[in-house]
Amino acid sequence: MLERLAGILRRRREEEEEYEPERLPIRRCMPDYHMGLYEEEIIEREEAGWTNDPVDPPSKTTRDIIHDNVFTYFNLIFAILGLLLIMVGAFRDLTFLPVIILNTMIGIIQEIRAKNVLDKMTMLHAPKATVVRNGRKRVIAVEDLVIDDIVIFKAGNQICADAIVEHGEVQVNESLLTGEADEITKKKGDILMSGSFIVSGECHARLEKVGADSYISRLTLEAKAMKDGEQSEMIRSLDKLVKCVGIAIIPIGLILFIQSFFLNEESFRSSVTAMVAAVIGMVPEGLYLLSSVALAVSAVRLAKQKVLLHDMKSIETLARVNVLCVDKTGTITENTMKVQGLRATRHYDKETMPPLKGIIGDFAQSMSKDNITMEAVQTYFQKRTGRRAQKITSFSSEFKYSSATFEDGSYVLGAPEFVLREDYPEYEEEIREEAAKGYRVLVFGSCDETPDGRELKGKVTPLAYIMLANPIRKEAPKTFAYFEEQGVEVKVISGDNPLTVSEVAKKAGITGAENYVDAATLTTEEEIRQAVLKYTVFGRVTPAQKRQFVKALKGAGRTVAMTGDGVNDVLALKDADCSIAMASGSDAAAQASQLVLLESDFSCMPSVVLEGRRVVNNIQRSASLFLVKNIFSFLLSIFSAVFMITYPLEPSQVSLISMFTIGVPAFFLALEPNKNIIKGHFLTNVFLKALPAALTDVLAVGALVVFGATFSVSPTDISTAATMLLAIVGFMILYRISQPMNRIRVAVLAGCICALLFCSTVLNQLFAITDMSAECVMLFVVFSIATEPVLRYLTVFVGSAKSFYDKVKGKIFIGKKAGEEA
């Protein structure tokens, strides 16, 4: 809307002022990482204002919602029109005001209702942190942290405030801040930047800058205006429509008034009421409200299904998705892992070496549980030989291994291709034999170098293969069958062995799962572009490649949804059209996603997609009703100005038609089930549906006015006849877009017809409906009969024109593509 830009700039200034920290000086300290802050130190910091309050409030306040719904551009227009009608004493024509007030109230109530539901869910799902206070570990909300708190960060955690490492070592990804996807090792004394996330390892860190002082807070304030401007195609189209109408109504209204009052020498009262009727007809007063209400209702419905929306536009985007990228773990399979077996290689000599399970047990004991794989290994290998590691490197998602160095040498555990490297072909047959069973195979071996967490250089001698597996989710086959029926292509993108992933995908019933590729062989952008269109399963995918896959699919014109639960999914989630995270996964993934499945149940995805389709299809259908009136009023206004006639309708008559052929049925239709696949662009679809009916209205009413003047029919009779003609065409188009009919739609249509007849007879004086002369009745009957074939032929003509345009456009596209290939 027109005030949106000004509102964004105004709110940005207010937020910068509102979140300017008001803090009292305190005595800083460096607490022991084992003990953390003491109670009196915490209280001192809280009272002085040194807390980690976010600069970006989670949602609009109730006051903001009321303000945004009441003080709109069109409400201002309606207020001015109301004052003009009061000035000329046309109180009967103020019937549009109760509708405007009701619309505003509905918008406020629904938005507040949605806000309350989502706020409760957001509070339950708010990011939390493990903090050390008074020598004890506690889990608290990140906004309750204070400066100098000792926080424990583990793999998957997003860093919530600028901090300094006091103990431990972690691998950090700062890509969300710097754009670089490299993993950076942070040791004691190093700075952790808020907004980055932990890839592996564990550390104790002291908070150095909190709240508005932190790095991510400063970035947030700078990005707020841009963030407010992001909208879905549907809302963007509505904004464009509303903006165009908002600009057009002022000059058209002035022209109609001048022409009626000065040129046609109508009375001041008649000129004002005619101008108001034309302007009211052009304003889509309920369309934007309808969209907001429908989206708010959907947000509440999804909340009941334990789906949290970070971004309202994702409802529409998900409904338009035609490619779904999923990770194996957490989506196809349960987010748990178990060791299925251990197989020694020929290099392990049980006569001269310690027990194999004991060696692996020592290795596992040295590592932190920073991922489900290591948890499974620690759970299975309980035996120890008593050795202690002198140095460890946590698992690296880039180099696919972890390591531990003991007195007698170093050991590594990781993906075969990355650990064995050039020696992999020697063991490939043995590994593939286990991978073909659907197992994830890890190599455990001795290394002749001391690993540093970077790419391995020395030779690794494999001692054993560890077979792991995730149980496939029971609902997975049914869920993926649904997406296949709906024409949504599924791509499985995983860091595991491609053969293993392929076997798991087959068991889950994913079509084309036998078409797999090792992503390590895809080295150029062109190879990636071709592969994402050809293959279904991708193994050994790096975090950077996941992002490249998403970009390649989007570049091919696909609408991409990405699911993920790990820190290595964050970059791809950020770039996808719609991102979905599991609540059981990492904090970073959940915060980067637009939707969070709070129960980590992927089987609810079909219902989420259906909710999106219901909203978009129904709003699209209802929007065409509103646009009929808008196009008709605009064209009739032009017709009136060109042929020097006074606009033939009164404001109360426009309100009557709008209420029962547009407003009431539109709200009922917008909340109905609708499973149809979304096709085409929103504004194009709406315009093409509305155009035949709008042209029929213009032809019928325009001809009625001309013939009425020819046969000297009074303007009052013409006005009543025009209202009834518009009602007939309105119900005809309502019947058409309601197909296929069901009980609810029949009831809505019949109820609106009865209500309109009641208002036209019992409340006829309120809506300016008068008895018609014999001449007017005859004209009305003739034009009423003519409306049906005119509407039918115009619909056929518009449909044929669109088909012809699509064919020409298709040929141009094919020719252009052939030229590019040549």
Side-chain angles (χ1 to χ4, degrees):
M1 300 179 74
L2 289 180
E3 77 275 14
R4 183 176 296 275
L5 180 60
I8 290 170
L9 297 174
R10 184 186 67 252
R11 284 198 297 273
R12 182 178 179 185
R13 286 195 302 270
E14 291 172 353
E15 285 159 353
E16 286 176 344
E17 294 170 3
E18 182 180 349
Y19 292 102
E20 189 68 33
E22 296 179 5
R23 294 167 172 165
L24 301 174
I26 58 166
R27 181 175 58 83
R28 298 290 301 275
C29 65
M30 298 184 67
D32 181 85
Y33 75 88
H34 286 301
M35 297 302 296
L37 293 174
Y38 291 100
E39 199 62 40
E40 57 271 19
E41 294 172 320
I42 297 167
I43 293 172
E44 177 191 5
R45 281 156 175 75
E46 288 176 343
E47 291 178 347
W50 292 92
T51 55
N52 195 41
D53 293 325
V55 298
D56 191 10
S59 65
K60 290 196 293 186
T61 64
T62 301
R63 179 183 173 185
D64 290 336
I65 291 172
I66 294 172
H67 180 278
D68 290 349
N69 278 276
V70 172
F71 297 100
T72 68
Y73 175 74
F74 284 126
N75 279 0
L76 174 63
I77 293 293
F78 285 126
I80 293 171
L81 296 178
L83 287 173
L84 287 174
L85 291 173
I86 291 171
M87 283 172 55
V88 298
F91 298 104
R92 181 183 64 185
D93 291 317
L94 293 172
T95 48
F96 65 90
L97 286 182
V99 176
I100 303 306
I101 294 170
L102 183 62
N103 282 349
T104 304
M105 292 301 298
I106 290 172
I108 292 171
I109 292 168
Q110 286 289 4
E111 201 168 342
I112 290 175
R113 183 183 171 216
K115 165 191 156 51
N116 291 337
V117 172
L118 295 179
D119 281 355
K120 288 178 183 177
M121 292 186 68
T122 304
M123 193 178 300
L124 292 173
H125 187 63
K128 295 179 171 55
T130 302
V131 64
V132 179
R133 290 179 172 179
N134 298 303
R136 294 182 179 180
K137 294 181 182 179
R138 302 181 192 173
V139 177
I140 64 174
V142 293
E143 60 264 27
D144 293 333
L145 294 169
V146 297
I147 198 166
D148 294 325
D149 252 330
I150 298 294
V151 180
I152 300 174
F153 291 114
K154 300 179 181 179
N157 292 156
Q158 188 164 28
I159 298 168
C160 48
D162 295 351
I164 297 175
V165 177
E166 296 292 337
H167 174 74
E169 181 179 312
V170 290
Q171 296 278 327
V172 178
N173 188 309
E174 297 179 346
S175 58
L176 300 185
L177 305 177
T178 65
E180 300 295 330
D182 295 336
E183 294 173 9
I184 303 167
T185 301
K186 300 284 188 176
K187 301 178 182 179
K188 183 176 180 179
D190 291 338
I191 295 174
L192 300 175
M193 297 172 69
S194 54
S196 56
F197 52 89
I198 308 296
V199 174
S200 61
E202 181 178 323
C203 73
H204 289 65
R206 176 175 57 83
L207 300 189
E208 181 68 15
K209 292 182 179 179
V210 295
D213 293 338
S214 66
Y215 183 77
I216 193 65
S217 296
R218 295 198 299 273
L219 288 183
T220 300
L221 283 173
E222 291 173 11
K224 285 184 74 61
M226 288 177 59
K227 185 171 149 187
D228 284 344
E230 293 177 3
Q231 294 293 355
S232 64
E233 184 200 340
M234 182 176 69
I235 298 300
R236 197 165 53 244
S237 298
L238 291 176
D239 277 344
K240 190 185 297 183
L241 173 65
V242 167
K243 183 178 180 181
C244 293
V245 172
I247 294 172
I249 59 176
I250 295 176
I252 290 176
L254 289 173
I255 290 170
L256 289 176
F257 175 78
I258 292 169
Q259 174 237 309
S260 177
F261 184 68
F262 291 102
L263 302 180
N264 291 0
E265 297 183 350
E266 298 279 351
S267 67
F268 183 74
R269 184 180 188 279
S270 298
S271 301
V272 167
T273 55
M275 180 270 291
V276 170
V279 170
I280 288 176
M282 283 187 284
V283 175
E285 71 276 3
L287 183 53
Y288 207 91
L289 169 74
L290 174 72
S291 306
S292 302
V293 169
L295 287 171
V297 170
S298 285
V300 174
R301 285 181 174 178
L302 289 175
K304 291 177 180 176
Q305 298 178 47
K306 303 298 181 184
V307 177
L308 175 61
L309 286 172
H310 282 166
D311 186 352
M312 195 76 80
K313 73 172 183 177
S314 57
I315 297 178
E316 179 190 351
T317 308
L318 188 60
R320 294 181 181 274
V321 161
N322 49 33
V323 175
L324 176 64
C325 297
V326 300
D327 194 5
K328 176 178 74 68
T329 307
T331 304
I332 301 176
T333 63
E334 300 284 353
N335 200 28
T336 58
M337 186 169 281
K338 291 183 180 179
V339 175
Q340 303 296 318
L342 177 69
R343 177 177 170 178
T345 70
R346 59 182 177 274
H347 299 291
Y348 173 71
D349 185 355
K350 64 179 180 181
E351 300 296 332
T352 60
M353 294 181 179
L356 187 56
K357 288 188 175 181
I359 299 174
I360 300 175
D362 291 340
F363 179 95
Q365 177 64 25
S366 305
M367 310 303 293
S368 61
K369 292 182 180 180
D370 56 8
N371 57 61
I372 61 171
T373 302
M374 191 52 66
E375 284 185 29
V377 172
Q378 288 180 345
T379 302
Y380 188 83
F381 296 100
Q382 297 284 340
K383 292 183 180 180
R384 311 276 189 269
T385 67
R387 298 179 305 162
R388 293 195 174 275
Q390 298 173 341
K391 179 185 177 182
I392 66 166
T393 63
S394 299
F395 177 77
S396 166
S397 59
E398 182 177 1
F399 301 108
K400 307 287 186 187
Y401 79 90
S402 54
S403 72
T405 301
F406 299 87
E407 285 186 6
D408 63 341
S410 298
Y411 296 88
V412 296
L413 176 68
E417 298 92 330
F418 287 78
V419 170
L420 300 175
R421 304 184 313 286
E422 63 272 5
D423 295 333
Y424 176 73
E426 184 181 344
Y427 307 96
E428 184 175 7
E429 188 176 341
E430 298 173 3
I431 294 168
R432 288 179 68 86
E433 184 182 331
E434 300 298 336
K437 300 174 185 176
Y439 294 144
R440 178 186 178 193
V441 182
L442 297 181
V443 167
F444 178 79
S446 59
C447 184
D448 61 8
E449 68 166 327
T450 301
D452 58 1
R454 309 303 293 172
E455 186 177 1
L456 291 170
K457 305 291 185 187
K459 181 180 177 61
V460 173
T461 303
L463 300 178
Y465 305 126
I466 300 174
M467 279 71 74
L468 303 100
N470 306 89
I472 292 177
R473 293 181 179 271
K474 294 179 181 178
E475 307 85 359
K478 184 179 179 181
T479 303
F480 289 117
Y482 165 80
F483 283 116
E484 184 182 0
E485 290 172 8
Q486 298 301 315
V488 178
E489 193 177 356
V490 177
K491 303 285 184 182
V492 184
I493 300 175
S494 175
D496 291 345
N497 182 290
L499 180 57
T500 302
V501 182
S502 175
E503 290 300 315
V504 172
K506 286 178 186 176
K507 293 176 182 177
I510 295 176
T511 303
E514 66 280 358
N515 299 322
Y516 62 88
V517 65
D518 187 336
T521 64
L522 307 175
T523 55
T524 66
E525 288 187 7
E526 180 59 25
E527 288 177 342
I528 288 175
R529 188 184 69 81
Q530 293 179 1
V532 294
L533 300 176
K534 179 180 178 182
Y535 296 101
T536 300
V537 174
F538 301 83
R540 297 292 176 228
V541 182
T542 64
Q545 282 181 316
K546 287 187 178 184
R547 192 179 193 183
Q548 288 177 308
F549 288 173
V550 170
K551 287 183 175 180
L553 286 166
K554 290 174 68 176
R558 309 295 178 85
T559 303
V560 183
M562 173 79 186
T563 69
D565 60 357
V567 291
N568 60 340
D569 298 322
V570 171
L571 298 178
L573 289 169
K574 278 287 188 182
D575 285 344
D577 294 300
C578 183
S579 49
I580 306 135
M582 306 291 177
S584 59
S586 67
D587 293 345
Q591 294 303 313
S593 298
Q594 296 165 339
L595 281 87
V596 181
L597 308 183
L598 295 180
E599 293 188 341
S600 299
D601 182 8
F602 187 69
S603 64
C604 73
M605 282 301 298
S607 61
V608 177
V609 172
L610 288 178
E611 183 63 32
R613 289 183 177 178
R614 183 192 67 78
V615 171
V616 178
N617 282 321
N618 287 341
I619 290 177
Q620 190 168 275
R621 183 168 55 186
S622 299
S624 61
L625 288 176
F626 285 94
L627 216 58
V628 169
K629 182 191 74 167
N630 304 145
I631 296 172
F632 159 74
S633 295
F634 175 76
L635 294 177
L636 191 63
S637 297
I638 301 298
F639 175 84
S640 301
V642 170
F643 290 98
M644 302 292 290
I645 61 172
T646 303
Y647 194 82
L649 295 167
E650 294 192 25
S652 57
Q653 294 168 339
V654 175
S655 298
L656 178 66
I657 300 302
S658 298
M659 186 185 305
F660 295 116
T661 66
I662 301 172
V664 173
F667 273 94
F668 278 102
L669 291 175
L671 302 177
E672 273 225 292
N674 194 318
K675 301 180 181 180
N676 298 332
I677 296 174
I678 299 169
K679 297 178 182 178
H681 297 289
F682 179 84
L683 203 55
T684 304
N685 293 342
V686 170
F687 184 80
L688 291 177
K689 279 186 178 180
L691 187 59
L695 291 175
T696 302
D697 281 340
V698 172
L699 292 173
V701 173
L704 180 67
V705 171
V706 171
F707 277 87
T710 303
F711 293 108
S712 302
V713 178
S714 73
T716 305
D717 287 359
I718 292 295
S719 182
T720 298
T723 304
M724 293 298 104
L725 272 179
L726 290 176
I728 290 171
V729 177
F731 287 126
M732 285 167 60
I733 188 63
L734 178 59
Y735 175 78
R736 289 194 174 198
I737 69 168
S738 297
Q739 299 293 329
M741 298 297 288
N742 56 30
R743 290 182 179 179
I744 294 176
R745 294 173 190 175
V746 169
V748 169
L749 182 60
C752 288
I753 292 173
C754 293
L756 186 134
L757 291 174
F758 174 82
C759 292
S760 302
T761 53
V762 178
L763 304 177
N764 58 317
Q765 291 187 350
L766 178 62
F767 292 102
I769 305 298
T770 60
D771 293 332
M772 292 184 286
S773 64
E775 295 87 350
C776 186
V777 171
M778 287 189 288
L779 286 175
F780 170 70
V781 171
V782 170
F783 287 117
S784 297
I785 295 171
T787 53
E788 194 282 327
V790 170
L791 176 60
R792 179 159 32 92
Y793 288 125
L794 282 173
T795 302
V796 172
F797 174 75
V798 170
S800 300
K802 182 180 182 299
S803 299
F804 177 75
Y805 172 77
D806 290 340
K807 286 180 182 178
V808 172
K809 187 178 177 182
K811 288 179 180 178
I812 293 172
F813 175 77
I814 293 169
K816 189 182 292 184
K817 191 173 182 181
E820 289 174 356
E821 290 176 355

